[in-house]
C-alpha cells in the first residue's frame, strides 16, 4: 500500500491527460511500453532487495556495485525527487480544497497538510502504514468503480448511455493521430507517472520479515498498478474522444461526465485530493528513510541520523518535511520561475535512478537480458528527451544536479584519501 500510495497519485488522475493529448488512443501502447520497463526495473530491484534488505535500497545496491559515488548520486537524486514532489502535491491539494472553501487562504491548507503528514511520519511506521493503507484503499476502490462503470457502458448495459464501440479508438484521427512521436511523448509521461514504486523496497526494510515483504510487495504492486493504469487508459480513450474538451485537464472527470454521473467533476476532485494526500504521506516517508540511509553511509550530516524512542528517524523526517515546505513557499513567491526550475531539476531523476538499478543488477548478479533491455529502454527515453524541445530542459537541469553530486562525491573521496575514511562529507 505504501508503494501504491507513491505511484497512484496525480500522475495517474491528472497527468495522464497530457499523455492522452499527445498520443491519442496510442497512449495504450505508451503505457504498455512504460509498464514493461517498470516491471523489468522492479523485478531487478526486488531481487537485490530480497538478497540484501536495507533502508537505503537501491542506493546501497549502487554503492556495493560501483562505489560510494553511485550510492551518493542515487540517494540524493531520489531524495530530491520525493521532497519536490511533496511540494507539488501540497500545492495541488490546497488548490482543490481552496475551490470548496475559498475563504481560507491556500497557504493555510498547505500548512495543515504538511503538519498532519509530518506528525503521522513521526508517530511511528505502524501508524504511518495504517494511514497509508486507508488512503491507498480509497484510491484503488475509486479506480475499481471507474473500471466497472466503464465496462458496463462498453458492453451497452448502462441505461440511457450508448456504447461507442471502437469509434473513438479508430475513427477520431486514427489509433495514432500524432504518429509514433506522440507515443514517445506518452511514454515519457507514463514513466514519470510510474515513479514511486521503488518506495516499497525502502519500506520493506522496517518489516518483521523484509525478504518476504519485498517479494510479495513487488509482485502485488506490479500487476495492481498495471491494471489501474492500463485499464484506466483503455476506458478513457474508448469512451470519450481523445481530443474532447476537458480530457487533457481531467480525463477521469470527462469520462464520468460522459456516463452521466451526478456531480462527476466534484467527485473526481475528491478522488484526486485523496490521491495527492496519499502521495504526500508516502513521499515524506520515503524521503526521510533515504536521507537516514545517506547519513548511515557518511553521505549526509550526522545530525540528521537521530532516532526517536520508537525508532523513527525524526531528524530526517523533519528535514525532509521542512524542505518540502520551503519548496511550497517558493511556489507561492515565484510560481513561474524558481518553482518550475525545481520541478525541471528532478524531471529526469527517476530515469537516472532506474538506470543505476539496472546497472547495479548487471554488476552484482551477472549478465541479464532484463538489465540489458531495461538499460536500452531507458537510453531510448533519454535520447528522445534530448531531441524533444519540451523535455530537453528537464534532462539538462537534472544532469546539472547529477554533475554537482558527482563533484561532491569526488571531493569526499579526495578528503578521505587524505584524512582516512569515516569523516563526514557534509558538516553537521
Amino acid at each position: 500500500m505504501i508503494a501504491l500510495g507513491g505511484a497512484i497519485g496525480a500522475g495517474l488522475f491528472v497527468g495522464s491527460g497530457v499523455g492522452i493529448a499527445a498520443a491519442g488512443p496510442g497512449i495504450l501502447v505508451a503505457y504498455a511500453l512504460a509498464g514493461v520497463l517498470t516491471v523489468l526495473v522492479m523485478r531487478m530491484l526486488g531481487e537485490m532487495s530480497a538478497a540484501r534488505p536495507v533502508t537505503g535500497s537501491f542506493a546501497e545496491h549502487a554503492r556495493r556495485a560501483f562505489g560510494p559515488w553511485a550510492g551518493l548520486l542515487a540517494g540524493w537524486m531520489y531524495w530530491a525527487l520525493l521532497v519536490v514532489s511533496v511540494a507539488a502535491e501540497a500545492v495541488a491539494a490546497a488548490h482543490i480544497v481552496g475551490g470548496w472553501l475559498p475563504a481560507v487562504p491556500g497557504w493555510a491548507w498547505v500548512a495543515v497538510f504538511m503538519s498532519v503528514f509530518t506528525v503521522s511520519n513521526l508517530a511511528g511506521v505502524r501508524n504511518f502504514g495504517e494511514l497509508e493503507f486507508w488512503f491507498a484503499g480509497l484510491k484503488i476502490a475509486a479506480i475499481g468503480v471507474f473500471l466497472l462503470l466503464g465496462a458496463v457502458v462498453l458492453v451497452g448495459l448502462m441505461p440511457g448511455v450508448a456504447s461507442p464501440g471502437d469509434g473513438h479508438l479508430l475513427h477520431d484521427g486514427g489509433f495514432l493521430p500524432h504518429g509514433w512521436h506522440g507515443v514517445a511523448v506518452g511514454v515519457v509521461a507514463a514513466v514519470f507517472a510510474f515513479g514511486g514504486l521503488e518506495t516499497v523496497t525502502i519500506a520493506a526494510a522496517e518489516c518483521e520479515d523484509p525478504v518476504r515483504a519485498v517479494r510479495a510487495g513487488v509482485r502485488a504492486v506490479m500487476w495492481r498498478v498495471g491494471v489501474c493504469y492500463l485499464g484506466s487508459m483503455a476506458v478513457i480513450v474508448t469512451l470519450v474522444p481523445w481530443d474532447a474538451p476537458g480530457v487533457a485537464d481531467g480525463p477521469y472527470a470527462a469520462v464520468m461526465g460522459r456516463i452521466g454521473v451526478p456531480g462527476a467533476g466534484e467527485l473526481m476532485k475528491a478522488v484526486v485530493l485523496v490521491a495527492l494526500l496519499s502521495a504526500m504521506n508516502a513521499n515524506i516517508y520515503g524521503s526521510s528513510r533515504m536521507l537516514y540511509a545517506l547519513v548511515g553511509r557518511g553521505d549526509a550530516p550526522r545530525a540528521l541520523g537521530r532516532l526517536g524512542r520508537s525508532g523513527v528517524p525524526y531528524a530526517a523526517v523533519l528535514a525532509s518535511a521542512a524542505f518540502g515546505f520551503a519548496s511550497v513557499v517558493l511556489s507561492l513567491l515565484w510560481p513561474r520561475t524558481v518553482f518550475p526550475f525545481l520541478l525541471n531539476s528532478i524531471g529526469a531523476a527517476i530515469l537516472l535512478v532506474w538506470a543505476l538499478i539496472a546497472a547495479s543488477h548487471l554488476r552484482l548478479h551477472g549478465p541479464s537480458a532484463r538489465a540489458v533491455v531495461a538499460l536500452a529502454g531507458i537510453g531510448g527515453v533519454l535520447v528522445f528527451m534530448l531531441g524533444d524541445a519540451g523535455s530537453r530542459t528537464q534532462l539538462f537541469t537534472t544532469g546539472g544536479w547529477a554533475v554537482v553530486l558527482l563533484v561532491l562525491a569526488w571531493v569526499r573521496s579526495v578528503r578521505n584519501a587524505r584524512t582516512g575514511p569515516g569523516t563526514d562529507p557534509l558538516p553537521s
Side-chain angles (χ1 to χ4, degrees):
M1 286 301 187
I2 288 171
L4 287 173
I8 302 178
L12 173 61
F13 289 106
V14 180
S16 57
V18 176
I20 294 172
I27 193 67
L28 295 174
V29 178
Y31 269 81
L33 292 174
V36 169
L37 180 59
T38 304
V39 167
L40 292 175
V41 171
M42 288 300 296
R43 286 284 300 275
M44 290 183 288
L45 179 56
E47 287 181 8
M48 292 187 292
S49 297
R52 188 181 177 88
V54 290
T55 302
S57 185
F58 48 83
E60 175 61 16
H61 305 323
R63 170 187 290 271
R64 290 177 55 229
F66 300 106
W69 68 267
L72 185 148
L73 177 62
W76 277 110
M77 288 298 293
Y78 198 69
W79 180 84
L81 169 67
L82 294 184
V83 293
V84 174
S85 297
V86 167
E89 289 148 3
V91 172
H95 179 73
I96 292 175
V97 180
W100 294 331
L101 300 171
V104 181
W107 63 264
W109 289 116
V110 169
V112 169
F113 297 148
M114 293 297 297
S115 299
V116 167
F117 295 127
T118 300
V119 170
S120 75
N121 276 271
L122 290 173
V125 67
R126 184 176 298 276
N127 294 324
F128 156 77
E130 183 73 16
L131 181 60
E132 194 56 37
F133 173 84
W134 290 108
F135 269 144
L138 288 172
K139 289 188 294 186
I140 294 173
I143 294 176
V145 172
F146 178 81
L147 295 176
L148 178 61
L149 288 174
V152 170
V153 173
L154 288 175
V155 298
L157 297 180
M158 178 70 74
V161 181
S163 173
D166 62 359
H168 297 317
L169 280 175
L170 304 177
H171 304 298
D172 292 329
F175 187 73
L176 301 178
H178 294 154
W180 287 103
H181 180 273
V183 172
V185 174
V187 169
V188 173
V191 164
F192 296 148
F194 278 119
L197 292 175
E198 309 80 15
T199 311
V200 69
T201 58
I202 298 175
E206 296 188 61
C207 294
E208 295 180 357
D209 188 350
V211 174
R212 184 182 63 83
V214 165
R215 290 173 177 167
V218 169
R219 284 196 304 267
V221 163
M222 288 190 300
W223 74 261
R224 287 175 183 169
V225 172
V227 169
C228 291
Y229 275 82
L230 287 175
S232 295
M233 293 305 103
V235 168
I236 292 169
V237 296
T238 304
L239 291 186
V240 296
W242 63 271
D243 56 351
V247 172
D249 296 327
Y252 285 79
V255 171
M256 298 293 276
R258 164 75 172 79
I259 294 175
V261 175
E266 297 305 312
L267 177 61
M268 289 313 303
K269 284 183 182 180
V271 173
V272 171
L273 177 62
V274 170
L276 290 167
L277 297 179
S278 171
M280 281 182 64
N281 194 33
N283 288 338
I284 290 176
Y285 172 85
S287 60
S288 64
R289 277 11 181 223
M290 182 57 73
L291 186 56
Y292 177 71
L294 287 167
V295 173
R297 289 153 185 81
D299 293 332
R302 288 189 298 269
L304 297 177
R306 295 170 182 165
L307 296 174
R309 293 182 179 178
S310 61
V312 173
Y314 72 89
V317 171
L318 292 174
S320 298
F323 192 92
F325 193 84
S327 298
V328 170
V329 174
L330 293 176
S331 75
L332 297 175
L333 296 177
W334 297 286
R336 298 184 179 180
T337 53
V338 179
F339 192 59
F341 174 76
L342 283 177
L343 291 176
N344 282 330
S345 296
I346 51 89
I350 193 61
L351 289 170
L352 178 60
V353 169
W354 283 6
L356 284 170
I357 291 172
S360 299
H361 188 274
L362 195 62
R363 184 72 175 270
L364 297 174
H365 292 258
S368 164
R370 281 179 292 175
V372 173
V373 172
L375 287 171
I378 294 168
V381 175
L382 291 173
V383 169
F384 172 79
M385 292 181 68
L386 184 62
D388 182 65
S391 306
R392 194 179 299 128
T393 302
Q394 294 184 4
L395 188 60
F396 285 160
T397 49
T398 301
W401 284 115
V403 170
V404 171
L405 290 173
L406 290 174
V407 170
L408 178 61
W410 176 77
V411 170
R412 178 197 172 194
S413 66
V414 172
R415 180 179 176 179
N416 285 346
R418 292 177 178 174
T419 63
T423 58
D424 246 343
L426 300 174
S428 56

